[in-house]
Amino acid sequence: MNVAIARTRAASALSVCSRCLVRAQRGPIIRLSVRSQTPTTTGRAGIVVQSQAFSTSLLRQKSSPPASKDPTESLEYYKSHSASIQSLTQAIEGRLFSTAAPSEEEVIGALLACQEYGKPHTDKTTATTTTAQKANPAAAILALGDANKTHSRAEISTSSSLPIPIPTIRNLAKSKKAQEAAHLATSILSNPRTFITEPILATYVDLCISLQQPSSIPTAFTLYAKKPFVRPGSTKLVHPNPKFPRYAIPDDIAKKALTEAIDARNIALALEIIHTSYGAPAYRSSRITRKALPVAAVMAASPLALYLVADQVSNLQDVVQHDVARRFTFAGLLVYMGVSTSLGLIAMTTANDQMRRVTWLPGTPLARRWLWEEERRAYDLVAEAWGFQEPNQIGFEEGPEWELLRETVEARGMILDNPALLEGMQ
């Protein structure tokens, strides 16, 4: 009997040990308490730890979305809040300016969201008709014939002139949305926390062109060069020097803006764009840095190169001493280079084959001509766009816009339609 009791106790002990081994292999057991509804972790020693950090971090992520380095993610976030201009403005203020200085990607995403909000969308019926006409050329020709028949019947039935197109309510609403979007984009750039970079400026110019609101482009050019800003990662307000080359408007952006102003037939806007881009001090400093400094560096290093060449050339003769031959060879090469370089500079600065309507006043220094050549070229484009195209009518333009162009050009030391250079006056 004692033997049976011992065997029973040994079997129960073995079962308990096997249960402990299985629990140890499974690891800690996670229990969810009913009162607090927070996960609790029970370890092997029976200590209970409540893990509330996980739920707190989730709540923080849901309440304030983190800033993204990809413009597409921020664009999708703003598009989800673009039901009205008020909701879009609140979304931009809450996400973009929540930090000391927003990143370049966040600003570009906000500008793209403004562009999507104000961009006019084509009607479905018009798009379907255009697609069908493109797919079937015969249908397009028949549609033109029907339009001509309708137009001829209208002319026969009524003796009045063609009706003047009246702006519809839908067009006025689209124009209002475009104005609101352009105003919001301008407020983003004018915020002191926004650091305007070249991609941001290019995105803003594309926004104004797509929304047909180019009137605020000169303001953006001025902000790019003169607006105080806060650098990313800092809280100190920086006042830029508008004469530094880094604040010059890039050529492609300035040309795109000027072309849009010319297409809009707004001569005052075109002149203001020229004044804030090509006529800015930073652009002339950039022209010196990009084109004059490399040439000056080559000219400064050329005497040493000529001296080495003269030293090698003097070894090819044995008539005079090596030092005498080297001095004469170096002097000849230096004179040749100086004369050739001077003639080349004079030819480059006095060239006038590219001038059409706007030329320089007689006696203008050559350095000024070279520095201000891009601005003169821009005024020339405006004059060709607003003036007569026939050669025999050039010089007979008149009107307030033409007088404004003439006064602006003369104030910059240039002449509009010099009589001595007109056709038949040579």
Side-chain angles (χ1 to χ4, degrees), residues 274-285:
I274 295 174
H275 177 69
T276 54
S277 58
Y278 297 112
Y283 188 85
R284 293 190 287 271
S285 302

Side-chain angles (χ1 to χ4, degrees), residues 356-372:
R356 296 290 182 263
R357 307 289 299 268
V358 180
T359 56
W360 293 104
L361 283 171
T364 304
L366 298 181
R368 180 183 176 88
R369 291 189 178 190
W370 181 79
L371 279 177
W372 298 48

Side-chain angles (χ1 to χ4, degrees), residues 189-196 222-231 236-241 247:
L189 261 65
S190 60
N191 194 299
R193 298 181 180 180
T194 305
F195 177 67
I196 306 176
T222 304
L223 293 174
Y224 182 76
K226 298 182 180 180
K227 183 181 77 72
F229 59 90
V230 179
R231 295 185 183 275
K236 184 179 180 181
L237 193 65
V238 180
H239 295 272
N241 189 351
Y247 299 117

Side-chain angles (χ1 to χ4, degrees), residues 241-298:
N241 189 351
K243 296 183 180 180
F244 279 1
R246 60 180 300 182
Y247 299 117
I249 305 299
D251 291 335
D252 54 344
I253 298 178
K255 184 177 180 180
K256 190 185 301 183
L258 181 59
T259 304
E260 178 64 21
I262 292 175
D263 294 341
R265 308 302 298 175
N266 192 340
I267 192 171
L269 177 61
L271 296 179
E272 194 172 359
I273 288 176
I274 295 174
H275 177 69
T276 54
S277 58
Y278 297 112
Y283 188 85
R284 293 190 287 271
S285 302
S286 175
R287 186 174 174 83
I288 293 174
T289 304
R290 290 183 288 108
K291 297 186 176 182
L293 285 184
V295 177
V298 172

